[in-house]
């Protein structure tokens, strides 16, 4: 755990809750510092949702819900190793 920062547990909780509540818009990705992944989710939700009558928005919300639950179920050490050391952007 060489790269531990005191703000990582806060980011884990905030990212997890935002993934569950606002997951369709990629807010949890922006919190963890994954701007490109967050922007992809935002574009798919907003632009894709307008063309598919909201179906892509629901799919992105489901992805955010799953990712939020994954964030909250990991131990703090495993969370830091997965998302800050190894830089895993998706799931």
């Amino acid at each position: 755990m060489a790269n531990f920062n005191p703000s990582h547990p806060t980011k884990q909780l905030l990212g997890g809750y935002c993934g569950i509540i606002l997951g369709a818009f990629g807010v949890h990705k922006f919190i963890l510092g994954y701007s490109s992944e967050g922007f992809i989710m935002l574009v798919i939700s907003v632009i894709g949702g307008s063309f598919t009558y909201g179906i892509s928005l629901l799919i992105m919300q489901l992805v955010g819900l799953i990712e939020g639950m994954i964030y909250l179920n990991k131990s703090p050490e495993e969370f830091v190793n997965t998302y800050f050391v190894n830089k895993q952007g998706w799931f």
Side-chain angles (χ1 to χ4, degrees):
M1 194 132 120
N3 292 338
F4 185 74
N5 187 342
S7 69
H8 288 155
T10 305
K11 288 185 178 185
Q12 180 180 5
L13 288 175
L14 190 60
Y17 291 139
C18 284
I20 291 171
I21 298 169
L22 300 170
F25 303 111
V27 175
H28 60 290
K29 296 289 186 183
F30 289 112
I31 289 171
L32 295 180
Y34 296 111
S35 299
S36 58
E37 288 89 347
F39 186 71
I40 289 169
M41 289 184 76
L42 181 65
V43 168
I44 290 173
S45 294
V46 174
I47 295 176
S50 64
F51 289 117
T52 62
Y53 300 107
I55 297 204
S56 63
L57 178 73
L58 291 174
I59 292 170
M60 286 293 109
Q61 180 61 39
L62 182 64
V63 169
L65 176 71
I66 292 168
E67 287 184 338
M69 288 189 302
I70 289 171
Y71 294 168
L72 293 175
N73 284 322
K74 288 187 179 280
S75 68
E77 295 84 14
E78 187 179 5
F79 181 79
V80 169
N81 286 333
T82 304
Y83 298 108
F84 292 106
V85 175
N86 296 331
K87 301 282 186 187
Q88 180 180 345
W90 297 99
F91 293 105

